[in-house]
Amino acid sequence: MAIKPESVWPIKRSLEDFATGDVVISSARTIEASHISGFAGLTFEFYSLHLDEAYAKATSFEGRIAHGPLTFSISSGRVYLSGYYGMAIQNM
């Protein structure tokens, strides 16, 4: 089931309303180098793959990549802003 943000806010949802395979469509978000550097500073996770462009270019990624937890945090926020959760989190 694909859910568009403008069609779901606010919705009263309970745990039973969520299904495996649900798809949430949100607006795009670009992760900039400043987000990666800022996250490294917050978490003290300064791995070269995230911060050193020369090092990262020599890897299979061919450039810097975002931290996994940063990506998860942003995606979690995007889902919240889409309205998909409705009041389910508050009601738990």
Side-chain angles (χ1 to χ4, degrees):
M1 168 171 88
I3 297 177
K4 294 190 177 184
E6 61 274 5
S7 66
V8 297
W9 190 262
I11 277 186
K12 297 188 188 295
R13 299 180 73 124
S14 62
L15 183 60
E16 294 77 27
D17 295 322
F18 298 94
T20 301
D22 281 356
V23 175
V24 177
I25 300 168
S26 71
S27 57
R29 167 78 187 259
T30 300
I31 299 175
E32 304 284 347
S34 60
H35 297 122
I36 297 170
S37 298
F39 192 80
L42 286 171
T43 61
F44 297 99
E45 207 276 73
F46 300 105
Y47 183 52
S48 298
L49 187 56
H50 306 303
L51 302 174
D52 183 341
E53 186 65 33
Y55 173 86
K57 277 188 186 270
T59 69
S60 60
F61 296 105
E62 301 177 353
R64 292 171 57 183
I65 62 170
H67 302 75
L70 170 61
T71 305
F72 172 76
S73 298
I74 290 173
S75 64
S76 178
R78 303 304 292 170
V79 172
Y80 168 75
L81 290 174
S82 76
Y84 174 73
Y85 294 137
M87 301 298 286
I89 303 299
Q90 180 179 344
N91 293 337
M92 289 181 130

